[in-house]
Amino acid sequence: MQHRDASPDLAVPAVQESEASTCPANYNDAVTIDRLQRALADAENAQQRAQRLADDGKRFAIATFAERLLPVADNLARAIAAAEGKVGKDAKSSALVVGVRATQRMLIDALAHGGVHRMEALGVPFNPRLHEAVMEDDNPALAPDSVARVLEDGYMLHDRLLRPARVSVARARRLPNLKVPEPLADLPLVGTRTTSVGKE
């Protein structure tokens, strides 16, 4: 009888201990799962960043090499312009000009294969992010603040600026200071009412 009476008393604290022991375990499991999920998300983000950097490295690895080739393209264009100026009308048929033009095309094609392309700047509105203004042109036929002349071509590498275009910008036209002639200075302003002498 004593053994039967004692067993129920011993069972109650055993259940309480098991309940107390499961609560921290569940809490620890939730914290551990949350930490694992965060670590997994961080690892995925790091992998994506590394992939983007690798892709950018492949796309823009040519940047330094292309910058060194751009003066070659500039000199070929200058050589063609100088030859055309000396030879005149026969410039297009000159063997020298034909050869230099072929070399220029080959260089432009090689740059384009690497993602480098020339910007069209002539006549477009001046953009300080793409153009470097070195002088102004006072030409009333041009739109104000537009590119009047391209002194050195600008180039893009994919969607990034490789070299800005050196340009001359059309000067903004200013209206002359108009002075009102003295006989007209006493006239009333438009929209004001005057009364004649002797009339109501």
Side-chain angles (χ1 to χ4, degrees):
M1 297 289 293
Q2 291 178 354
H3 182 68
R4 253 187 246 163
D5 293 337
S7 60
D9 294 336
L10 294 173
V12 173
V15 173
Q16 292 175 350
E17 286 178 7
S18 66
E19 290 177 355
S21 63
T22 56
C23 289
N26 291 338
Y27 175 76
N28 288 337
D29 289 345
V31 171
T32 303
I33 291 172
D34 182 62
R35 288 179 179 172
L36 288 174
Q37 288 175 342
R38 289 173 184 266
L40 181 61
D42 290 341
E44 289 177 353
N45 290 336
Q47 184 179 8
Q48 291 174 359
R49 282 195 299 271
Q51 186 62 43
R52 282 196 299 269
L53 288 173
D55 293 342
D56 286 348
K58 290 177 183 177
R59 291 185 72 201
F60 301 105
I62 194 178
T64 303
F65 181 66
E67 285 178 350
R68 293 177 180 175
L69 284 180
L70 294 184
V72 179
D74 296 336
N75 288 333
L76 288 174
R78 292 187 189 104
I80 292 170
E84 287 178 346
K86 288 183 179 179
V87 180
K89 294 181 180 180
D90 298 330
K92 292 183 180 179
S93 61
S94 170
L96 174 64
V97 176
V98 170
V100 175
R101 281 191 180 278
T103 305
Q104 184 188 42
R105 279 194 302 271
M106 291 173 64
L107 178 60
I108 291 173
D109 291 343
L111 289 172
H113 184 71
V116 179
H117 57 275
R118 186 177 65 88
M119 291 186 296
E120 291 293 338
L122 186 63
V124 303
F126 174 75
N127 184 346
R129 294 182 179 180
L130 301 176
H131 309 138
E132 179 186 350
V134 295
M135 58 188 300
E136 286 186 333
D137 272 354
D138 194 6
N139 189 343
L142 299 173
D145 295 326
S146 64
V147 175
R149 283 184 294 159
V150 178
L151 307 177
E152 190 175 79
D153 287 324
Y155 288 85
M156 300 286 292
L157 176 57
H158 298 295
D159 55 349
R160 291 185 186 177
L161 179 67
L162 184 63
R163 187 181 77 178
R166 300 182 73 224
V167 300
S168 173
V169 182
R171 185 175 297 168
R173 292 188 288 275
R174 296 178 181 172
L175 294 175
N177 294 329
L178 298 176
K179 294 184 179 180
V180 179
E182 291 186 3
L184 301 177
D186 295 333
L187 291 177
L189 297 175
V190 176
T192 58
R193 298 179 63 184
T194 58
T195 55
S196 301
V197 178
K199 293 185 179 180
E200 294 181 3

